[in-house]
Each structure stands twice: as C-alpha cells, then as structure tokens.
Amino acid sequence: MKKIEAIIKPFKLEDVKEALVENGIAGMTVSDVKGYGRQQGHSELYRGAEYVVDFLAKIKIEVIVNDEDVDSTIAVIVESAKTGKIGDGKIFVTPVDEVVRIRTEQRGSEAV
C-alpha cells in the first residue's frame, strides 16, 4: 500500500474530490495547510501598505491506495488539479507498512 499526499490549490478541491470518488477512492483526509515553493509568496496592498505574504493557502489531500492503484490515482489528481500555472502543487508517494481499522480491527487492504 502507498500513501499519496497531494498539495493543491484550494479552489481545485471539489474537482479533485469528485474525480477521486468517480475512480473508486472511498476515503480521504483533507487538511488546510500553508506553504510555498518556487512562488516564494506574493505581495499584497492593505490600506496603502504593501505586505509580503510568504505562506500561501493550500489544501493537502491524503489517500491510501493499493500498489496497483498508485499510477491511476496520481493521473486522476493531476488531471483534475492542473491549471497550468505556477503553484499547482505537488504529489508525494510514500510506503505504508500497516493499516488498522479501529472499529473492526481489520488490517491491511481490508482496512482501507
């Protein structure tokens, strides 16, 4: 199993969620996060003063999938989150050694 973490623009959340559900992803965790990459933030004017906003609002989506579903899940996220502009986000894939469903004590793929 693998954990896929996608950092995306907030306004793309609904598109990504719908695309994942259509492709059989039953559950996900969504978090509001802040950060920056190559964008390095941006400047804003507020009451005549210029402020540098270093950290930009992003959404982090986390899903656990079986190894054979990794490539298709990544493709779905890329297709639904991509705007073609800087700051579209990143996807990270890490191995998952064990999953346990607390309610039923199921383990492994059954727990996902």
Side-chain angles (χ1 to χ4, degrees), residues 20-53:
L20 287 171
V21 169
E22 285 175 14
N23 285 276
I25 303 298
M28 65 189 75
T29 301
V30 177
S31 306
D32 289 315
V33 296
K34 292 183 180 189
Y36 69 90
R38 291 187 180 153
Q39 283 176 283
Q40 298 294 317
H42 64 279
S43 298
E44 289 185 1
L45 283 175
Y46 179 72
R47 294 188 178 182
E50 186 174 356
Y51 294 92
V52 175
V53 179

Side-chain angles (χ1 to χ4, degrees), residues 3-86:
K3 177 180 181 181
I4 299 175
E5 294 179 64
I7 310 296
I8 63 169
K9 292 182 176 185
F11 68 88
K12 295 302 272 181
L13 174 60
E14 205 55 40
D15 294 341
V16 173
K17 184 188 88 160
E18 288 174 10
L20 287 171
V21 169
E22 285 175 14
N23 285 276
I25 303 298
M28 65 189 75
T29 301
V30 177
S31 306
D32 289 315
V33 296
K34 292 183 180 189
Y36 69 90
R38 291 187 180 153
Q39 283 176 283
Q40 298 294 317
H42 64 279
S43 298
E44 289 185 1
L45 283 175
Y46 179 72
R47 294 188 178 182
E50 186 174 356
Y51 294 92
V52 175
V53 179
D54 291 338
F55 295 102
L56 302 173
K58 299 286 183 178
I59 296 291
K60 179 166 74 170
I61 299 172
E62 298 171 279
V63 296
I64 307 296
V65 298
N66 290 318
D67 291 340
E68 60 270 12
D69 297 327
V70 171
D71 290 336
S72 62
T73 302
I74 290 172
V76 165
I77 294 170
V78 168
E79 184 180 317
S80 56
K82 186 176 183 177
T83 67
K85 297 181 180 164
I86 193 167

Side-chain angles (χ1 to χ4, degrees), residues 66-112:
N66 290 318
D67 291 340
E68 60 270 12
D69 297 327
V70 171
D71 290 336
S72 62
T73 302
I74 290 172
V76 165
I77 294 170
V78 168
E79 184 180 317
S80 56
K82 186 176 183 177
T83 67
K85 297 181 180 164
I86 193 167
D88 274 351
K90 297 271 191 302
I91 297 174
F92 306 97
V93 180
T94 54
V96 174
D97 294 328
E98 184 69 83
V99 176
V100 178
R101 179 174 290 160
I102 295 172
R103 179 178 52 88
T104 61
E105 297 182 30
Q106 291 172 305
R107 293 178 173 263
S109 294
E110 293 177 353
V112 176

